[in-house]
Structures are given as C-alpha cells and as structure tokens.
Amino acid sequence: MKVPIKLERYPAVRAAFESHEPVLVEDTKSTALLGPWAEVAAEEVGRALLAVPLLVERKIAGVLLLRNYAARPPLGPRAIDFLRVASSMLGLVLKAGRVFEGLREQTRRMALSRYNEERRTRALEQYKDFFEASTDGMVVLDGDAAILYVNRAAEQMTGYAREGLNGRDFTELVSPGQRQSLSNIVKQIVGGANLEVFDVALSTTSGETLTVSVSSSPVLAEHGGAVLSFRDVTEARALEGELRKTSDFLERLIDSTIDGIICADMRGSILI
C-alpha cells in the first residue's frame, strides 16, 4: 500500500526484526509487549498476532504479519516452523524477482527528493526576511508551478491566506488563456533563465481580476525554485489603453480631414 510504517507503533514487528525469530502475541489486549498500543491493536488489528521475519541470505528484509480476530489461536511449534519455511521461500522468490533492487532504488529516489526539498527549504529561509519586507507580491514556485511560499503583500493583493495557497498550482490564479504560457515560463526560470517583465491577469478571492506586472528571478533555480515578483498595474494599464484609444481617434480624425495639417514640436521636427 506504500504506507510508511513507524515501528514504535508495531512492537511485535520490531521484536521480530530484533530477534530474527517469530513473535507470537496470543492476546493483544493483555500483553505487555504492545504497551500503550495494546488497546488500539485489539480493536483495530486483531486479538492475536504472529510476526514472522522474512530472511534473505540470513539478513532480515521484512516481516510477515499474521493476525487473528480471536485470542490464543491454536498454533503449535509445527505450524510456526511451517511459517518460518514459507517465509524463507518467499524471500527466495523476492530475491529472484529483483524486488529488493527496485525497493532500494525507490528508497534512494525518495531520500534524494527529501534531501532536495530540505535544501530548498533552507535556501528559502535565507530570503524570507527580504520577501516579507517587499511591498510587491512575491511567490516561490517549484518546477510544476506549485506554490512553495507567498509573502504578506501577495496575501493582501490576492485575498488568499498562505495556508490556502501553499501547494496550490499558481497557474490556476491566472486567466485560462495564460496558464500554459505561465507554466512554460516557470520551467524556464527553474532552468536558470532571466526573462523580461510580463503582464498576467490575476484572479482574487473577491472575483476581481487584476493586471499585474511580473518580474522573475532564478536565484533559487539550483534548488528547483522560481521566484516571481508582481505589482498591481490595473489602473496604469487601463489609462494606457484610454490614451491609446484617444491617440488612435485623433490620428484617424486628422487623416480623414480635407485640410492639410502639419504638427511639429518646438524645434520644428514634424510629428504628423
């Protein structure tokens, strides 16, 4: 089930690991071996347990855990010996199928991934004071655009609390037409690229859409992180749009008149 097991919660399994011998718990509710876990084991696991070590080349590689819902199951020495032989045979099958090599590689990948995450967290800690002091919204994303960190200004600008943003896909907060391009941009930043400033349409909790100017930094690229800094330019972009419309209208008006019109600056340079 790929569920990590904490051995302190499974004293019978731990005892089998330590002794290399089968461990029989006839009544989980009354045994001293399970300690504080006795009640939990009796209710959720079973009234009787048998932990048989799984040996591969005389080394313990796991434990077969058998459980029974009635206390004191009728298991004699021959039955336990049979289980010991079955465990050894299973160990040979697993070794022949190279299962342990795959598990070791998976464990190595998990350890490397955890190590990289810890390195990135430590690197992020170095910049947190700077991020928090900035008046611009700042987010740190991983290579898949998942949010690793947001500063206070970003919270105020979007209306989202940090707890609601951490781990979320940042592209979900921008307009659908910009999501793929933003995802590609994040990958480029994680790859170490320095990019030009760009605009995106950012959604807020109130349903309002802000136009934000975004600058990026690859300062955390070696740790698989992309830093985005953004500020609200909604009013500025709206004003630019109005000025552009006015300019286009005046140019069309001048072009359509039957009079000859010349516009020049104070130095005599002709503009229109």
Side-chain angles (χ1 to χ4, degrees):
M1 293 171 62
K2 298 182 181 179
V3 177
I5 292 178
K6 297 180 179 179
L7 285 182
E8 63 267 18
R9 297 187 61 181
Y10 295 84
V13 173
R14 184 173 57 190
F17 265 103
E18 293 172 351
S19 67
H20 286 47
E21 292 291 334
V23 174
L24 175 63
V25 179
E26 293 188 341
D27 190 347
T28 55
K29 199 168 187 179
S30 60
T31 180
L33 176 64
L34 300 186
W37 302 104
E39 286 289 337
V40 177
E43 293 177 6
E44 299 183 8
V45 180
R47 288 296 301 274
L49 296 175
L50 176 61
V52 184
L54 179 62
L55 298 175
V56 178
E57 296 179 345
R58 297 183 179 180
K59 294 180 180 179
I60 188 165
V63 168
L64 293 179
L65 183 62
L66 295 88
R67 55 188 182 175
N68 196 57
Y69 290 103
R72 298 177 179 80
L75 282 175
R78 293 187 63 184
I80 293 179
D81 286 342
F82 170 78
L83 287 170
R84 186 184 284 110
V85 172
S87 173
S88 299
M89 292 178 64
L90 179 57
L92 292 173
V93 171
L94 293 175
K95 183 172 184 279
R98 298 185 178 276
V99 171
F100 295 112
E101 283 79 356
L103 289 174
R104 277 195 289 269
E105 176 61 22
Q106 181 183 2
T107 302
R108 190 193 69 81
R109 288 198 302 269
M110 289 172 63
L112 181 60
S113 174
R114 190 177 300 113
Y115 170 71
N116 288 334
E117 282 185 18
E118 290 174 355
R119 284 187 66 222
R120 183 169 60 195
T121 300
R122 288 195 297 268
L124 185 55
E125 287 291 336
Q126 298 176 5
Y127 296 98
K128 273 191 175 180
D129 289 341
F130 168 73
F131 292 157
E132 289 300 325
S134 175
T135 56
D136 291 341
M138 302 193 77
V139 294
V140 180
L141 313 174
D142 66 12
D144 297 321
I147 299 173
L148 303 174
Y149 168 81
V150 294
N151 71 346
R152 189 180 298 105
E155 283 186 299
Q156 294 171 350
M157 198 176 301
T158 63
Y160 289 98
R162 299 183 198 206
E163 293 77 13
L165 287 177
N166 287 337
R168 186 172 176 179
D169 187 346
F170 185 65
T171 62
E172 294 177 358
L173 303 183
V174 306
S175 62
Q178 295 179 311
R179 290 175 183 173
Q180 186 58 52
S181 60
L182 180 58
S183 179
N184 294 336
I185 286 172
V186 170
K187 286 181 172 60
Q188 293 179 55
I189 299 169
V190 171
N194 284 294
L195 304 179
E196 297 291 331
V197 177
F198 58 93
D199 288 357
V200 296
L202 187 67
S203 300
T204 67
T205 53
S206 63
E208 182 184 5
T209 300
L210 303 177
T211 300
V212 294
S213 178
V214 183
S215 58
S216 60
S217 171
V219 67
L220 293 176
E222 65 174 307
H223 303 290
V227 180
L228 298 184
S229 173
F230 53 92
R231 62 181 56 184
D232 186 1
V233 293
T234 306
E235 292 185 7
R237 295 295 183 263
L239 182 58
E240 288 175 8
E242 290 299 321
L243 290 174
R244 194 176 301 110
K245 289 178 183 179
T246 302
S247 177
D248 291 343
F249 171 75
L250 291 175
E251 285 188 14
R252 288 195 299 270
L253 182 64
I254 291 171
D255 285 341
S256 64
T257 184
I258 60 174
D259 297 322
I261 296 177
I262 295 176
C263 177
D265 62 17
M266 296 300 291
R267 292 188 296 272
S269 299
I270 296 176
L271 301 177
I272 297 174

